[in-house]
Amino acid sequence: MSKGQRIKTVIDGIFLIVAAVLLVKYKRHAYEIILMVLSFSFACLGLGKILYYMSMARHMVNGKIVLYRGIILFNFGVLSSSLSYVPKIYILLYLACIHAFSGLVEILRTRETRAYGGTTWRLKFISGLINIVIALFCILFSRAENTAVYIYSLGLVYSGIVRITAAFRRTTFMFIR
């Protein structure tokens, strides 16, 4: 990672932590902001994958998987934007599913990394466990009024800390001759 990328990663992490603090401070409008951010980010990520498929991935082996991921992510974005009139418990279940899925993916990635003899699997494993714990908190505290705001803010703070930590971690370079 270059110095510019490290600075950008640290700024992104600080921005996430500040956004989490602002969400907790302004709880009244946080629910709508969370839905807007979720729907916008999923829709943009899905459109990006679809555009990547149209420009390059369709010529690759198993390139259709990129298209399927793009369609699914775009559908999640549309679904998120339509949840503003749904009771908050469904949003908590939605957040729980997102965190549980990403935690499961991280844990499975660490198993694969360990199988290939990788040494940097511990932080990803802990990240996966924390995502699963956040999903459990979503389910356990689903009756509390502002649980969605606190859980989402906790996830933002954690993501910001992980980004800042990743920016200061030494990277190894591989030279091929």
Side-chain angles (χ1 to χ4, degrees):
M1 191 180 297
S2 69
K3 286 186 181 183
Q5 289 173 330
R6 289 181 195 272
I7 291 171
K8 182 187 176 301
T9 305
V10 169
I11 290 172
D12 288 346
I14 291 171
F15 176 74
L16 288 175
I17 293 171
V18 169
V21 170
L22 289 175
L23 283 177
V24 170
K25 186 175 180 181
Y26 300 109
K27 290 179 239 177
R28 179 178 294 167
H29 303 293
Y31 182 71
E32 291 84 16
I33 292 171
I34 290 170
L35 282 177
M36 186 176 62
V37 167
L38 278 176
S39 64
F40 183 73
S41 61
F42 277 140
C44 287
L45 193 60
L47 283 176
K49 293 226 181 249
I50 290 170
L51 290 175
Y52 175 66
Y53 170 77
M54 285 196 258
S55 65
M56 184 178 288
R58 66 180 171 184
H59 304 294
M60 296 170 23
V61 175
N62 290 331
K64 285 189 181 182
I65 293 174
V66 175
L67 176 67
Y68 299 148
R69 286 181 185 166
I71 291 171
I72 290 170
L73 286 171
F74 184 74
N75 285 336
F76 275 146
V78 172
L79 175 71
S80 298
S81 67
S82 67
L83 290 177
S84 60
Y85 301 110
V86 175
K88 293 182 180 180
I89 192 164
Y90 295 119
I91 299 300
L92 283 173
L93 292 176
Y94 189 60
L95 280 174
C97 289
I98 291 171
H99 280 288
F101 181 73
S102 65
L104 183 66
V105 167
E106 286 293 326
I107 289 174
L108 291 175
R109 280 184 174 172
T110 59
R111 289 185 62 200
E112 183 180 6
T113 303
R114 283 184 65 194
Y116 288 123
T119 59
T120 60
W121 57 271
R122 288 176 184 86
L123 186 62
K124 287 188 185 257
F125 183 74
I126 292 171
S127 172
L129 285 180
I130 289 175
N131 274 328
I132 290 176
V133 167
I134 288 173
L136 289 175
F137 281 158
C138 281
I139 294 169
L140 291 177
F141 299 115
S142 63
R143 299 286 180 205
E145 187 172 320
N146 290 321
T147 304
V149 175
Y150 294 134
I151 295 293
Y152 191 74
S153 298
L154 181 67
L156 284 179
V157 167
Y158 174 70
S159 180
I161 290 171
V162 166
R163 285 183 188 221
I164 291 171
T165 305
F168 290 113
R169 188 178 325 135
R170 288 188 72 135
T171 56
T172 58
F173 293 99
M174 181 180 292
F175 294 102
I176 300 173
R177 293 183 182 203

